Amino acid sequence: KQEVTQIPAALSVPEGENLVLNCSFTDSAIYNLQWFRQDPGKGLTSLLLIQSSQREQTSGRLNASLDKSSGRSTLYIAASQPGDSATYLCAVHAGKSTFGDGTTLTVKP
Amino acid sequence: GAVVSQHPSWVICKSGTSVKIECRSLDFQATTMFWYRQFPKQSLMLMATSNEGSKATYEQGVEKDKFLINHASLTLSTLTVTSAHPEDSSFYICSASRGSKNTEAFFGQGTRLTVV
């Protein structure tokens, strides 16, 4: 059974810092991995999707990497802003999606 | 990317009534749709997988008689919460894919159900 773990569970940083969110998964037989953002009481916003054959994807200040063999992914956020405050979810897809518990990020002005 | 629309975005219902949530793929044919539930402060948990024209496959612990899933067309799946109780209050979200293994799943915006 696939298990997805996200570390840390919560993170509070001052504005402007670069930060890394971690995601690990137990079964490397995945089709792709996706990072989402969820604001309180809201739905999911897809940030980045990495196919199993890819190593990383970039979008603006976000960079996600994938090491399928070791079962790890990281989401790097550069020059963090208060508007980045949200819960970040990692999901691995292999037919169905398995989500981590998320990292709740607070960026203080 | 493809668009998945979920309706309603929020609903309040009385205990004992049934509520239907719709998930539509607007610009692609979704062979497979997934339904997830998220309790407060927790992550999303898969409830069931539905393939067009066949019965849904439910995850362990999910009551199929309580959570009725219908996937009658390639663009629409519905989740009906029957005889809802306050403990069914949750955030329900669907995703849809074209079905082949490497295709991306696209997520709806979710439905917040509150049972009073």
Side-chain angles (χ1 to χ4, degrees), chain A residues 14-36:
Chain A
E15 182 176 5
E17 271 204 9
N18 302 323
L19 56 100
V20 175
L21 308 182
N22 297 290
C23 172
S24 61
F25 47 96
T26 55
D27 187 347
S28 62
I30 65 171
Y31 304 147
N32 53 59
L33 180 146
Q34 197 164 4
W35 283 93
F36 295 90

Side-chain angles (χ1 to χ4, degrees), chain A residues 41-108:
Chain A
K42 303 290 185 182
L44 303 180
T45 300
S46 179
L47 298 174
L48 289 164
L49 174 77
I50 311 177
Q51 298 291 350
S52 62
S53 59
Q54 297 176 322
R55 298 284 292 184
E56 67 178 337
Q57 283 285 340
T58 298
S59 175
R61 294 183 292 108
L62 305 179
N63 176 277
S65 68
L66 173 63
D67 184 343
K68 200 175 79 157
S69 60
S70 68
R72 296 175 190 274
S73 176
T74 61
L75 178 67
Y76 175 82
I77 303 176
S80 58
Q81 302 170 358
D84 295 331
S85 298
T87 296
Y88 290 80
L89 295 168
C90 163
V92 296
H93 306 301
K96 60 186 182 183
S97 304
T98 303
F99 285 80
D101 288 338
T103 293
T104 299
L105 172 66
T106 303
V107 181
K108 296 174 287 188

Side-chain angles (χ1 to χ4, degrees), chain A residues 31-32 34 36 38 41-44 49 51 89 93 95-97 99-101, chain B residues 34 36 38 43-44 46 49 59 91 93 101-105 107-109 112:
Chain A
Y31 304 147
N32 53 59
Q34 197 164 4
F36 295 90
Q38 186 175 34
K42 303 290 185 182
L44 303 180
L49 174 77
Q51 298 291 350
L89 295 168
H93 306 301
K96 60 186 182 183
S97 304
F99 285 80
D101 288 338
Chain B
F34 305 89
Y36 299 83
Q38 184 182 36
S43 190
L44 282 81
L46 180 67
T49 302
E59 295 297 300
F91 184 71
I93 193 165
K101 62 178 185 179
N102 271 334
T103 57
E104 182 179 355
F107 286 80
Q109 62 268 56
R112 173 111 13 229

